[in-house]
Amino acid sequence: MLLYIIRRIASGIPVLFIVSLFIFSGIRLLPGDPIDALYPPDASVSEEVRDELRRSLGLDRGVHVQYIRWVGGILQGDLGVSIRNQQPVSGLISRRAGKTIQLVVLSTVFAVVLAIPLGTLAALKRGTAIDYAAIGFALFGLSIPGFALGTFFALVFGVWLNWVPTTGHLALPVLTQGLATAGILVRNVRSTIADEQGRDYVRTARGKGISSSTMYLRHVLPNALPVVISVLAVQIGYQLGGTVVIEQVFAYPGIGLLLFDSVGARDYAVIQAIALLMASTYVIVNMIADIVRALLDPRIRLNS
C-alpha cells in the first residue's frame, strides 16, 4: 500500500508542472496590457511611471524568465504581488479562501446526505414512482446551469419569500451547488448499486437467507463506495470551478469572486495563483480519492 501511495503522489508532480505551464501561457494570451488596465491610456500617468511599474513587476522580461521566477517564488511560498492593489497575493487569497472552503465543503456534505439515500432507494425500487422521481431529480441537477438555478433561488427565497439575503449569505450558494452535485451523484449511486444487485455474491447472500438490510449495508454499499468516491472527487473539482459563477451571482466574497474581478483587471499574479490553487486542489483531491479507493478495494492496488 505504501508503494501505491508513493507512486500516486509521484504521478501528480508532472501533472502539476504541465498545469502550471498551461495556466501561465494561457493567461499571457488574454487580450490587453495589465498596466493599461491599471492606468488607462487616457490617464495622466507618464510612460516613465508605466515602464517603472512594468519593470518592478517583471513584465518587461521574457516570458520564459517570468515563468521561472513565478515557479521559483511559489516554491518559496511567494505568490507574487497584485497589480491592481499592490498587495501580496497570498494575503488576498488567505482572507477569502475560508469562505470558498466553507461553500465547497457544505455543498459536498449536502449533496452526499441527499444523494446516497435517494440513489440507493431508487436502485432498490427500480421501475417505481420513487425511481422515476429520483431520475427526474438527477436530470434536473444535470440540466440547469448554475447561474440560472442560482438566479431562480435568489428570486424565490431572497425576493419573493424574503427568507435569506440574496447576497453575501452562504445558504443559497450551498443549495445551488449542492443540488447540482447531488443530481450527478444520484444517477451514479443508482446505477452502481443496481449493477451490484446482479452480482453472484448478492444472489448467494439471498440464498443463505441474509436479510436485505444486512446485505446492502455490509456488502452492496461498501462495494459501490469506490465508484461513488471517484465521482465525488471529480465533482469537488467542478465545484471549485463553479464557485467563480456562483460567487458572482450571490456576491459571495470567496476566491471565485476574487478571480472574476481579477480577470477584468488583468491582474496576472492573482489569476495565476488562484487558477493554480484550484488545479492543485483538484489533483490532490483525486489523489486522496484514489488512495481511499485502494484502501477499500485491494484489487485497485494489485492492478496498479
Side-chain angles (χ1 to χ4, degrees):
M1 184 62 195
L2 180 59
L3 182 60
Y4 175 82
I5 294 174
I6 294 173
R7 285 178 176 175
R8 189 63 188 85
I9 293 174
S11 67
I13 295 175
V15 172
L16 290 176
F17 171 70
I18 294 172
V19 166
S20 70
L21 281 174
F22 274 106
I23 291 172
F24 186 86
S25 58
I27 291 174
R28 292 307 185 279
L29 295 176
L30 289 174
D33 187 338
I35 305 301
D36 289 339
L38 183 63
Y39 298 119
D42 57 350
S44 57
V45 177
S46 65
E47 285 298 323
E48 289 78 9
V49 173
R50 294 174 185 272
D51 292 341
E52 178 60 31
L53 181 58
R54 188 174 282 107
R55 280 193 296 271
S56 66
L57 295 172
L59 297 176
D60 61 326
R61 302 182 177 229
V63 176
H64 64 288
V65 177
Q66 294 182 42
Y67 175 76
I68 293 172
R69 290 183 62 185
W70 177 54
V71 173
I74 290 173
L75 295 177
Q76 297 176 21
D78 181 10
L79 299 178
V81 177
S82 169
I83 297 174
R84 182 171 52 171
N85 51 31
Q86 299 296 299
Q87 293 182 20
V89 175
S90 56
L92 293 174
I93 293 177
S94 63
R95 286 194 291 270
R96 298 205 185 198
K99 295 284 187 181
T100 299
I101 291 172
Q102 276 186 312
L103 173 57
V104 173
V105 170
L106 291 178
S107 300
T108 303
V109 172
F110 174 71
V112 169
V113 170
L114 181 62
I116 290 183
L118 186 57
T120 302
L121 191 60
L124 299 179
K125 303 290 184 181
R126 279 182 296 175
T128 65
I130 295 175
D131 186 24
Y132 294 138
I135 293 174
F137 172 79
L139 291 175
F140 174 81
L142 287 168
S143 304
I144 302 181
F147 71 89
L149 189 60
T151 303
F152 173 75
F153 285 152
L155 182 64
V156 173
F157 297 111
V159 178
W160 292 349
L161 298 177
N162 198 26
W163 286 356
V164 292
T166 57
T167 59
H169 198 272
L170 191 59
L172 293 181
V174 167
L175 180 63
T176 303
Q177 287 218 139
L179 285 179
T181 303
I184 297 172
L185 284 178
V186 165
R187 186 185 65 173
N188 283 276
V189 170
R190 177 188 177 277
S191 62
T192 303
I193 291 182
D195 289 341
E196 291 294 324
Q197 284 182 283
R199 298 192 182 277
D200 292 338
Y201 75 88
V202 174
R203 289 192 289 267
T204 302
R206 285 173 177 166
K208 291 182 177 181
I210 297 177
S211 64
S212 297
S213 60
T214 301
M215 180 176 61
Y216 285 109
L217 290 175
R218 296 185 60 182
H219 301 288
V220 175
L221 192 57
N223 285 333
L225 278 179
V227 175
V228 175
I229 290 172
S230 296
V231 174
L232 185 60
V234 173
Q235 290 308 306
I236 290 175
Y238 285 143
Q239 282 195 39
L240 284 170
T243 58
V244 178
V245 175
I246 298 300
E247 291 181 4
Q248 173 67 16
V249 170
F250 295 106
Y252 185 74
I255 59 175
L257 184 59
L258 177 61
L259 176 59
F260 183 88
D261 294 337
S262 300
V263 170
R266 304 294 188 273
D267 200 338
Y268 286 173
V270 177
I271 300 171
Q272 291 170 175
I274 295 178
L276 184 62
L277 176 63
M278 289 183 172
S280 301
T281 303
Y282 181 79
V283 171
I284 292 171
V285 167
N286 278 273
M287 190 185 303
I288 294 173
D290 287 346
I291 293 172
V292 173
R293 288 175 60 234
L295 289 171
L296 294 174
D297 189 350
R299 293 172 298 179
I300 296 175
R301 302 197 299 269
L302 294 176
N303 292 334
S304 298

